Amino acid sequence: RRFSSAIGDFWQTFSAPQKWSVAVTAVLVIVLFATLGQSLFFKSSPAMASTCVLQILSGEVDISDKDSDIFESGSDGMVLEMGTQVKTESNSHALITFNDGSTITLEPGTVLEIDRLETNEAGSPVIILSQLVGSTWSSVVPMTNPDSRFEIETPTATAVVHGTLFTTE
């Protein structure tokens, strides 16, 4: 009885036309602010796009900071920035994951430098790598925007792709 009476009172509170319009307006305002907040605060920023994550699959992986030629031991989950060199030792494998979902796997004895890592004005990823020595396996997500770029430069060739799987030696 009390429950039924409470529901009746609640229904009467919102049954007047002016009260319905207030409730509907309040819901619309909440939805508007939620949508606006999401587009303002969760947009990919150039700072977010200028990093990638290292995963050590096996062995030891060394990292050289962009301002140094000295290699130090890398760690699993380490965030890498533009200018960083990654070197896998013998019997070592590493995986680098970029913000767009593309990955590159480094085989033993590989040295890879992250030359450019950013999001351009159009919001497209620009990833340019230099493979100095060794072998890598790349998985590049399809890039629908022509301003997107995934490039690997080697001493003898340059590969530019917009979504594919390929190896570089």
Side-chain angles (χ1 to χ4, degrees):
R1 224 173 215 225
R2 288 182 184 167
F3 180 72
S4 147
S5 175
I7 289 184
D9 291 343
F10 179 77
W11 182 252
Q12 282 182 338
T13 303
F14 287 105
S15 63
Q18 295 91 2
K19 292 180 181 177
W20 272 108
S21 64
V22 169
V24 169
T25 303
V27 168
L28 289 174
V29 167
I30 290 169
V31 169
L32 176 66
F33 279 121
T35 305
L36 183 61
Q38 181 179 7
S39 66
L40 289 175
F41 297 112
F42 296 109
K43 203 174 197 181
S44 177
S45 68
M48 286 178 60
S50 64
T51 61
C52 53
V53 178
L54 172 69
Q55 183 179 357
I56 299 173
L57 303 176
S58 64
E60 293 183 28
V61 178
D62 295 326
I63 305 297
S64 174
D65 190 21
K66 60 184 174 184
D67 299 326
S68 172
D69 290 336
I70 300 170
F71 281 90
E72 297 178 1
S73 185
S75 60
D76 198 43
M78 184 177 205
V79 176
L80 305 175
E81 297 177 348
M82 194 165 53
T84 303
Q85 281 191 357
V86 181
K87 178 172 72 170
T88 53
E89 299 296 329
S90 60
N91 299 321
S92 299
H93 294 83
L95 176 75
I96 298 174
T97 304
F98 302 95
N99 281 1
D100 71 340
S102 296
T103 62
I104 186 166
T105 304
L106 284 70
E107 298 293 325
T110 299
V111 178
L112 183 82
E113 183 172 348
I114 303 167
D115 292 330
R116 194 165 158 205
L117 189 58
E118 62 190 24
T119 299
N120 62 22
E121 299 83 28
S124 303
V126 176
I127 302 165
I128 300 177
L129 309 167
S130 291
Q131 184 172 321
L132 306 175
V133 67
S135 179
T136 58
W137 173 255
S138 299
S139 173
V140 181
V141 298
M143 298 177 175
T144 56
N145 190 322
D147 294 331
S148 300
R149 189 170 194 84
F150 188 98
E151 179 178 312
I152 296 181
E153 299 173 353
T154 71
T156 57
T158 298
V160 180
V161 299
H162 284 267
T164 192
L165 302 169
F166 69 101
T167 187
T168 308
E169 293 183 14

